């Protein structure tokens, strides 16, 4: 239905040049404007509904416009995801299953699960007793499909195509009930693999305004983070030594953003704070990157002379023992994150490791220590850096070696 509004809106307020130069921004502006118009003018709402019907029936003009918007959007997604170090093998949303959703309705009907209402819509009663909170609408009165119908078709098709061990849906928590109903319908349709489907809901980020106003585009946030990070780095006067300060600023800025986002339960809402994001001390992504770069520099300075034989018996200080014990927990933390799909375990582990390394760095000197002791300490710091790098990489952060 949203696309019906967008299609109608573009016919009323759209500009081809603006669409080509900044697709997501222009489509967003059109969408906001048409929603306002539809609220005041019933004819606009009616046109949107008709546009959606034409889409469902396979009208070539409507589909061509949809395809154009989709292609432009995906080009933008790919470009922005690339900055985040994210790659998808396939982009296929539920709109892809427009035709197959009709097969799902026939299947539900053949199993005696489809009920027609007085309004002409088709519903599935998941409680079996008419409980209104357990009734899921799967077809509108005009025969068009809904999100739930298309998601059922998508799940069945993905099982046929991939024969998956697990299918994980990552969406905002507002869709929790929707996925509960979809998985339950798959079960009563006889698909026992529905128990292998899992919804991982996430909360809302509050207060994430950039200089461009209320609605925040991810690209604006990434640009602003890079800009602020560059300013911060310039004020510390280390930027001149960097080959590519822009790239370093982007990587450190992304680390800051990801750590703030992943520190708590994914389900929790949280207040975004620009100030907290850029703190170089405390539990931040900047601190993780700083620790990694510092340990890398330690290896560069002393690596040649001390990385041959070493004696672990030299690591007797409490700081060394604390780090060794913490390093041993890495696999356990990875296992926990894999079990409950919460990255916060890894974040918490890496932050603690960085704090332990910061304390040890002040007391466990390599310079002027006996070769055996210096070698053992360097190996310890090297192990810390390696685990930090692996942990950050798992969270989608590219470790930096200088900053």
């Amino acid at each position: 239905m949203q696309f019906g509004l967008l299609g109608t809106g573009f016919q009323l307020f759209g500009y081809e040049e603006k669409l080509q130069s900044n697709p997501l921004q222009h489509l967003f502006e059109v969408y906001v404007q048409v929603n306002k118009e539809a609220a005041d003018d019933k004819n606009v709402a009616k046109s949107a509904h008709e546009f959606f019907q034409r889409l469902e029936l396979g009208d070539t003009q409507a589909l061509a416009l949809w395809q154009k918007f989709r292609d432009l959007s995906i080009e933008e997604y790919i470009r922005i995801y690339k900055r985040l170090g994210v790659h998808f093998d396939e982009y296929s949303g539920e709109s892809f299953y427009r035709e197959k959703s009709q097969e799902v309705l026939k299947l539900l009907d053949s199993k005696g699960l489809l009920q027609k209402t007085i309004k002409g819509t088709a519903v599935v009663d998941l409680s079996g007793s008419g409980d209104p909170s357990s009734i899921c609408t799967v077809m509108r009165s005009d025969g068009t499909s809904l999100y739930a119908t298309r998601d059922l078709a998508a799940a069945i098709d993905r099982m046929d195509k991939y024969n998956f061990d697990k299918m994980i849906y990552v969406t905002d928590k507002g869709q929790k009930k929707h996925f509960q109903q979809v998985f339950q319908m798959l079960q009563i349709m006889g698909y026992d693999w529905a128990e292998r489907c899992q919804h991982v809901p996430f909360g809302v980020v509050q207060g994430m305004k950039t200089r461009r106003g209320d609605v925040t585009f991810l690209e604006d946030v990434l640009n602003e983070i890079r800009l602020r990070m560059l300013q911060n780095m310039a004020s510390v006067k280390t930027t001149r030594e960097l080959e590519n300060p822009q790239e370093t600023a982007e990587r450190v800025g992304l680390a800051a953003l990801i750590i703030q986002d992943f520190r708590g339960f994914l389900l929790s809402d949280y207040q975004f704070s620009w100030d907290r994001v850029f703190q170089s001390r405390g539990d931040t992504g900047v601190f993780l990157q700083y620790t990694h770069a510092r340990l890398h520099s330690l290896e560069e300075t002393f690596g040649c002379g001390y990385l041959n034989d070493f004696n672990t018996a030299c690591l007797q200080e409490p700081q060394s023992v604390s780090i060794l014990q913490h390093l041993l927990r890495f696999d356990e933390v990875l296992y926990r994150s894999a079990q409950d799909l919460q990255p916060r375990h890894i974040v918490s582990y890496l932050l603690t490791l960085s704090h332990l390394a910061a304390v040890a760095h002040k007391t466990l000197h390599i310079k002027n220590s006996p070769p055996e002791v210096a070698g053992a300490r360097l190996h310890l710091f090297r192990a810390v850096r390696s685990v930090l790098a692996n942990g950050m990489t798992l969270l989608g952060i590219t470790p930096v070696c200088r900053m």
Side-chain angles (χ1 to χ4, degrees), residues 121-133:
T121 60
V123 301
V124 175
D125 176 9
L126 294 166
S127 67
S129 59
D131 174 5
S133 66

Side-chain angles (χ1 to χ4, degrees), residues 336-353:
R336 277 186 74 187
S337 277
Q339 289 302 101
D340 66 5
L341 301 179
Q342 295 286 332
R344 67 193 180 91
H345 308 302
I346 300 173
V347 171
S348 167
Y349 174 87
L350 295 179
L351 289 167
T352 302
L353 183 61

Side-chain angles (χ1 to χ4, degrees), residues 77-92:
Y77 294 158
I78 290 169
R79 188 174 63 78
I80 294 164
Y81 277 132
K82 193 175 179 185
R83 284 181 71 176
L84 293 168
V86 173
H87 164 79
F88 287 102
D89 294 309
E90 190 177 328
Y91 284 83
S92 66

Side-chain angles (χ1 to χ4, degrees), residues 298 302 305-317 320-321 323-324 327 364-366 369-384:
L298 203 64
F302 300 106
Y306 294 118
L307 282 175
N308 302 323
D309 295 333
F310 70 99
N311 181 3
T312 48
C314 296
L315 300 171
Q316 299 293 338
E317 307 84 1
S320 301
V321 174
I323 287 177
L324 287 166
L327 288 174
L364 304 180
H365 302 295
I366 293 171
S369 294
E372 212 176 25
V373 174
R377 287 175 179 176
L378 193 60
H379 267 280
L380 182 69
F381 285 126
R382 193 186 202 188
V384 171

Side-chain angles (χ1 to χ4, degrees), residues 178-345:
H178 163 78
F179 285 108
Q180 280 173 346
Q181 291 190 329
V182 166
F183 301 160
Q184 212 178 330
M185 272 192 281
L186 288 168
Q187 287 274 19
I188 62 174
M189 286 167 83
Y191 297 112
D192 55 359
W193 48 260
E195 63 194 29
R196 289 188 253 156
C197 297
Q198 186 180 357
H199 179 219
V200 176
F202 55 80
V204 176
V205 184
Q206 294 152 338
M208 204 184 210
K209 289 183 182 176
T210 64
R211 291 159 202 187
R212 283 176 52 178
D214 287 357
V215 172
T216 309
F217 283 81
L218 178 59
E219 188 169 26
D220 290 345
V221 175
L222 297 181
N223 290 342
E224 189 149 346
I225 272 200
R226 183 175 59 194
L227 182 69
R228 291 195 191 199
M229 206 68 240
L230 269 173
Q231 289 166 348
N232 282 16
M233 281 158 47
S235 69
V236 186
K237 298 189 171 56
T238 55
T239 317
R240 281 169 304 182
E241 302 160 27
L242 299 173
E243 280 174 32
N244 191 338
Q246 288 267 0
E247 190 179 283
T248 303
E250 175 112 340
R251 286 177 178 179
V252 177
L254 269 179
L257 194 65
I258 289 169
I259 294 301
Q260 175 150 288
D261 200 52
F262 282 173
R263 270 183 63 193
F265 282 97
L266 290 182
L267 193 58
S268 305
D269 300 342
Y270 72 90
Q271 191 68 35
F272 180 83
S273 156
W274 283 106
D275 293 335
R276 197 170 67 236
V277 158
F278 293 111
Q279 284 171 2
S280 58
R281 288 280 176 268
D283 292 344
T284 65
V286 180
F287 177 55
L288 285 187
Q289 289 281 35
Y290 173 72
T291 308
H292 182 271
R294 202 174 181 188
L295 295 175
H296 186 270
S297 145
L298 203 64
E299 270 177 60
E300 273 193 329
T301 310
F302 300 106
C304 310
Y306 294 118
L307 282 175
N308 302 323
D309 295 333
F310 70 99
N311 181 3
T312 48
C314 296
L315 300 171
Q316 299 293 338
E317 307 84 1
Q319 295 91 333
S320 301
V321 174
S322 296
I323 287 177
L324 287 166
Q325 287 173 333
H326 194 65
L327 288 174
L328 283 169
R329 290 188 50 242
F330 189 44
D331 58 347
E332 167 204 323
V333 168
L334 298 186
Y335 180 75
R336 277 186 74 187
S337 277
Q339 289 302 101
D340 66 5
L341 301 179
Q342 295 286 332
R344 67 193 180 91
H345 308 302

